[in-house]
Amino acid sequence: MPSYVSHLESAVDGTRFDFGKLHATHEGRPLWVAYDLKEARKRVKRDELTLLAPDMWRYAPFLPTGEQVISLGEVMTPLLPCPRLAVHLGVKNLYIKDESRLPTGSFKARGMAVAITMACGLGATTVALPTQGNAGGAAAAYAARAGLECVVFMPADAPEVNRVEAALFGAKVYLVDGLIDECGAMVREGAAQRGWYDLSTLREPYRLEGKKTMGYELAEQLGWRLPDVILYPTGGGTGLIGMWKAFQELTELGWLETRHWPRMFACQSTGCAPLVSAYENGERHASPPENVHTVAAGLRVPHGIGDFMILDAVRASGGSAMAAAEDGLVSWMHLVTELEGISLCPEAAACVGVLETALAEGRVRRDETIVIFNTAAAQKYIEVLRTEIPKLPAGGVDWAEFD
Ligand SMILES: *Cc1c(COP(=O)(O)O)cnc(C)c1O
C-alpha cells in the first residue's frame, strides 16, 4: 500500500520541508510528518485494512516508509481486560495494553522499526543515539536487522539489561559518566564529524510515527472508539504525542465511530517529574529537576525537547500530568504482576499509582473506560528484581505454608 506522506512540518512555526531528504529539527524543536489525509480518506478503506496481517505495518498508508521495511515482527499487542485489578482499585472497565510483547521487550520497537526503515531509505550507514535504556536495545536490534552500524551512549547508571542487550545486538556501547544530555552532545558531535544518523528522541521525526501506531491499534481494538482515560508513562513523550496525533488523523479520516476523545494522563515518578511541575505551574515548557532518581529508567528524562507537545496534548484532552510516589513503584508492579499475570515495568507501575490518586481525587470516575500502557517487560529491570531474590526461600519446602 502506498504511503500518503505529503511533507514535514515544524512543530513550532509550521515551516514546511520536503519529505525524502534528511531533516532533523527546526530551531532546535521537532518536526511533524504530515499526510494527505483527504486523498487517503477516499482511497484507504478502514475495514479492508483490518484484514491485513495483525502487525503495525497494516497502518503503512499513515507511516513514512522507505523502499524496504525493516521489521522484526511488530505484532499487534493485546489489550487485556484486568478484572481483578479493577476490583482492587474499585473501577469497572480497566485494560492494560501490553507492549512488552514487542521485539526487545518494549514499545521502543515501534519507533525504531520506522526510524531505522527511514535511516536506511535515506542512505545512512551508522545510526547513533543517547539513551537511558530500552531505546538502545531496540536501536541495536533494528540496526543489526538492517545491516547498519549502531553507536549507543548511556549514562553509567542505565539498567544493566539495557547495557548488555545493546552490546549483544552488536552495537558499540559507551557508558558516560554524566546525564543523558551529555550523551546527546556526543551523538551530535559524531553526527557533525562522522555523518552518523542521529536517532535521539524527537530529533528525527520518524520514531514518533512508529509510536503513533499505538493509537491506531487501540482504536481498532475498541471497535474504532476511544477510551475515556489513557494513562501513559511519560519520559520524552513520543508515545503520548504520537497517540494524540493518531486520534487527530483517525478523526480526519472519518474512521472513528464517535467524537469522544480520551483524557490523557502523563504519568511520572516523584523521582523525576518535570512535566508535572510545568503542568501545575501553567507553563508550556518544563525545567529540569535538580535531583533525578527513579528505578523507572524510561521516566528519567529531565529535559525533553517535545515538552510543549506533551503539555499541549494533555491540556487539550482535559487530562493531567501527575506523579506517583517513587517508593511505591515496586509494590504497584507486584500488584499487577500478582493479580493479573502481566509483566508490568516500573514505568507503567507509575500509571497505577497515578490512577489510585486520580480516582481518590475524582479526576477519573469509577465507571469510565480506562487504559494503562505497559511499555516494557518487568524482566528487563534486573536491579529491581534482584531486590526480590533475598525473599525467596533458600531450600526445602515449608509444608505448613500450604495448610
Ligand atoms: C522510553 C520509555 C518510556 C517513555 O516513553 P516516551 O514515549 O518517550 O515518553 C516509558 N516506559 C518505558 C519502559 C520506556 O522504555
Side-chain angles (χ1 to χ4, degrees), residues 107-108 134 211 232-239 298 345 347 375-376 381:
F107 84 116
K108 292 288 195 298
N134 290 314
K211 292 184 176 182
Y232 183 81
T234 309
T238 36
C345 62
E347 288 84 352
T375 38
Y381 299 80

Side-chain angles (χ1 to χ4, degrees), residues 217-229:
E217 242 179 65
L218 179 65
E220 183 177 337
Q221 287 171 318
L222 291 172
W224 303 104
R225 283 165 218 279
L226 299 174
D228 299 307
V229 171

Side-chain angles (χ1 to χ4, degrees), residues 4 45 47 65 73-74 84 87 106 111 117 125 129 133 155-156 170 173 192 215 248 263 265 282 337 361 370:
Y4 287 84
K45 298 278 168 277
D47 297 334
T65 48
E74 297 71 28
R84 259 179 289 276
V87 168
S106 91
T117 289
T125 52
L129 76 162
V173 180
Q248 283 163 335
R263 305 201 301 292
F265 284 74
T337 51
E361 293 177 355
I370 303 162

Side-chain angles (χ1 to χ4, degrees), residues 325-348:
E326 173 64 24
D327 59 13
L329 295 183
V330 174
S331 55
W332 285 307
M333 275 175 87
H334 267 285
L335 185 68
V336 177
T337 51
E338 289 175 22
L339 279 180
E340 297 290 358
I342 297 171
S343 178
L344 198 89
C345 62
E347 288 84 352

